[in-house]
């Protein structure tokens, strides 16, 4: 009997996958469904081989790695439990519940597993892959700058047409400007998260000691018009000064920021009380920041859009868990990141996303205090500890990712998650011992 042996070039497979994720939105603009299927197949294949490799070769040797794997198993626990329990508690079949849960896994949960795909790579291949990704990040930065400049030159309609088939263009984004610039999509496909992505690319460029492209990343953040990114950039700047131990400059910057914030908010309220139409862009910018705080506790009254009534997402959480205190620890279970006729017409509609604007609340609603504690440790606390004891700009990236969760769900974008996954691999999975054969 003859047998045939097949060899897989895993390194090339991961390069193809990352390249496809970079151009993913452009590909979906041409063929939406096939592109989504290809993305899932590529990530699925990488995770399949990575898990096989880990089972045979990986040994957990440190507590932080153990906590990271507990987090992943906890997410799988929710997928499995929702598939078993919800058919029993709701009037739906097992296959319907499984369909919803697999869709949620594809859209959201799979992103947290992406750091595993780097495990089978040797140190030499990791260095080559970093360089490859470094080149692709340059392309993404240049594309953002190019899209904003050409939009300002009159080609905004071209991008609206190109992206319309990918499903990322909504009516409220057609022709919209902020601070005199267009709300662009870039390769991320989200005006809100594009700036956050480029803050991460900024620190990746600093990691590669490329100050020129770090400056271009900073420009891309500004051109993204993402107010969330602007605020995160300020916070990252303070953390950078602390990381560099520039305490005097940190103190002076903090004092200046406080006084400038007081002046700007007072000027904003003066314009509002004066019913002035002057500085419209400034009023919209500050108003959106204030609106974030108002919306988390309240919602606009339908009959009076100028008034707010109690009933925002945080209020809903407090009311729900007052009535269901036992669910605080493990959460309600999966809510769903897709909101279309598939779910609104089913009994699972009660499990829809609590909100898309305050994702950290949705995460708590899904996974409870235990899951949120694991998330905070993995993406914020431990990287912050690593930042204080090791000289690596990569530790900034998970922290930036975590802070962005207080607004939108960043893990939905697989390209966003790739730039986070590499630092997570460095932090939690890089040092390991091989089992004896």
């Amino acid at each position: 009997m003859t047998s045939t042996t097949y060899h897989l070039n895993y390194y090339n497979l991961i390069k193809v996958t990352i390249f496809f994720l970079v151009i993913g939105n452009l590909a979906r603009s041409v063929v939406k469904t096939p592109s989504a299927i290809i993305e899932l197949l590529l990530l699925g294949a990488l995770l399949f081989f990575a898990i096989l490799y880990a089972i045979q070769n990986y040994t957990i040797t440190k507590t932080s790695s153990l906590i990271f794997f507990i987090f992943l198993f906890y997410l799988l626990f929710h997928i499995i439990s929702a598939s078993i329990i919800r058919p029993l508690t709701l009037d739906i079949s097992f296959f319907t519940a499984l369909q919803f849960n697999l869709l949620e896994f594809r859209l959201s949960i799979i992103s947290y597993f992406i750091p595993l795909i780097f495990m089978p790579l040797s140190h030499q291949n990791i260095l080559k892959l970093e360089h490859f990704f470094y080149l692709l990040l340059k392309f993404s930065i240049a594309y953002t700058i190019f899209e904003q400049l050409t939009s300002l030159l009159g080609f905004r309609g071209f991008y609206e047409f190109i992206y319309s088939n990918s499903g990322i263009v909504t009516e409220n984004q057609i022709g919209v400007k902020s601070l005199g610039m267009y709300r662009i999509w870039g390769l991320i496909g989200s005006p809100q998260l594009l700036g956050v992505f480029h803050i991460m690319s900024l620190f990746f460029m600093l990691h590669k000691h490329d100050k020129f492209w770090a400056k271009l990343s900073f420009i891309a953040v500004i051109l993204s018009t993402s107010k969330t990114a602007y605020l995160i950039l300020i916070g990252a700047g303070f953390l950078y000064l602390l990381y560099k131990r520039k305490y005097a400059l940190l103190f002076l910057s903090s004092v200046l920021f406080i006084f400038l914030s007081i002046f700007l908010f007072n000027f904003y309220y003066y314009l509002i009380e004066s019913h002035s139409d002057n500085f419209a862009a400034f009023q919209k910018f500050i108003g959106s920041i204030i609106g974030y705080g108002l919306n988390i506790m309240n919602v606009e009254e339908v009959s009076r859009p100028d008034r707010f009534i109690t009933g925002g997402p945080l209020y809903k959480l407090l009311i729900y868990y007052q009535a269901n205190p036992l669910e605080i620890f493990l959460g309600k279970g999966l809510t769903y990141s897709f909101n279309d006729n598939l779910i609104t017409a089913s009994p699972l509609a009660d499990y829809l996303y609590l909100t898309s604007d305050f994702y950290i609340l949705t995460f708590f609603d899904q996974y409870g205090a235990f899951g949120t504690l694991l998330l905070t440790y993995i993406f914020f606390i431990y990287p912050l500890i690593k930042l204080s004891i090791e000289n690596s700009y990569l530790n900034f990236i998970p922290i930036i990712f975590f802070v962005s969760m207080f607004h939108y769900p960043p893990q939905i974008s697989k390209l966003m998650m790739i730039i986070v996954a590499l630092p997570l691999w460095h932090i939690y999975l890089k040092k390991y011992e091989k089992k004896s054969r």
Side-chain angles (χ1 to χ4, degrees), residues 14 95 127 144 165 213 233 258 260 302 339 392 397 413 428:
I14 199 170
F95 294 102
L127 293 178
T144 294
N165 189 51
W213 280 94
L233 182 62
I258 291 171
L260 182 62
V302 176
N339 184 358
S392 175
I397 294 177
S413 168
Y428 298 105

Side-chain angles (χ1 to χ4, degrees), residues 47-71:
L47 285 173
F48 174 76
F49 291 117
I51 291 171
L52 284 182
Y53 172 86
I55 291 172
Q56 297 181 63
N57 300 281
Y58 192 84
T59 301
I60 298 174
T61 58
K62 55 184 181 179
T63 304
S64 59
S65 300
L66 176 62
I67 294 174
F68 180 78
F69 281 108
I70 289 174
F71 175 68

